[in-house]
């Protein structure tokens, strides 16, 4: 095999791994949200129909990492659903981090810098709006 053939094979491996990472992340997030939804229906499915004319936001306990993790371990349905949403948000961030690692292994400095900038922007925009 020529050197170009091994490089192409490695690029295909990286692409396959990134694809698996995205599929696994989305599938896991969907399963977690489904479990939370089933738990929510089993707990509150027989309650009276809520009044949707008045908006009632999510409780403050499920908008922080601490609240979601504590609710997750106490089997609160809304915390499980929120955790699934967090998994869905984290999936593309992990994809970018993996791409950064792959570019670093290939010693492609330009793409490492570009990917670091993109990852920095996404992390900053994600974490600057959090209520920790």
């Amino acid at each position: 095999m020529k050197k170009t053939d091994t490089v192409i094979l490695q690029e295909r491996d990286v692409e396959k791994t990134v694809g698996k990472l995205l599929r696994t992340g989305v599938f896991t997030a969907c399963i977690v949200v489904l479990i939370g939804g089933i738990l929510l229906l089993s707990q509150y499915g027989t309650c009276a129909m809520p009044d949707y004319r008045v908006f009632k936001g999510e409780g403050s306990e499920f908008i922080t990492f601490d609240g979601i993790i504590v609710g997750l371990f106490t089997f609160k349905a809304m915390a499980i659903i929120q955790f699934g949403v967090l998994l869905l948000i984290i999936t593309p961030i992990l994809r970018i981090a993996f791409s950064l690692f792959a570019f670093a292994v290939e010693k492609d400095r330009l793409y490492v810098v570009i990917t670091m900038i993109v990852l920095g922007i996404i992390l900053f925009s994600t974490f600057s709006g959090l209520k920790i």
Side-chain angles (χ1 to χ4, degrees):
M1 254 189 221
K2 299 178 199 172
K3 184 176 181 178
T4 56
D5 291 340
T6 56
V7 170
I8 291 172
L9 287 176
Q10 290 174 350
E11 288 175 8
R12 286 184 187 157
D13 291 341
V14 169
E15 290 172 6
K16 286 180 182 180
T17 305
V18 167
K20 284 181 182 179
L21 177 72
L22 291 173
R23 279 190 300 275
T24 303
V26 170
F27 183 73
T28 304
C30 289
I31 294 298
V32 169
V33 170
L34 180 66
I35 291 169
I38 291 170
L39 188 61
L40 183 73
L41 284 176
S42 70
Q43 291 174 351
Y44 302 106
T46 58
C47 293
M49 186 75 156
D51 183 17
Y52 289 117
R53 292 176 287 183
V54 178
F55 177 74
K56 180 183 174 260
E58 187 55 52
S60 61
E61 60 193 355
F62 301 126
I63 60 172
T64 62
F65 282 137
D66 292 339
I68 293 171
I69 298 301
V70 168
L72 186 66
F73 287 114
T74 56
F75 295 104
K76 292 187 178 178
M78 289 305 295
I80 295 172
I81 293 171
Q82 289 286 74
F83 183 70
V85 172
L86 277 178
L87 287 175
L88 195 60
I89 292 169
I90 289 170
T91 299
I93 295 172
L94 288 175
R95 182 237 188 261
I96 295 169
F98 180 78
S99 296
L100 177 65
F101 174 74
F103 291 138
V105 167
E106 292 177 3
K107 296 181 174 117
D108 193 343
R109 292 182 183 160
L110 177 64
Y111 282 113
V112 166
V113 170
I114 292 171
T115 307
M116 284 177 66
I117 291 170
V118 169
L119 185 61
I121 291 170
I122 289 176
L123 290 176
F124 174 76
S125 63
T126 300
F127 290 117
S128 65
L130 287 179
K131 300 173 186 173
I132 297 176

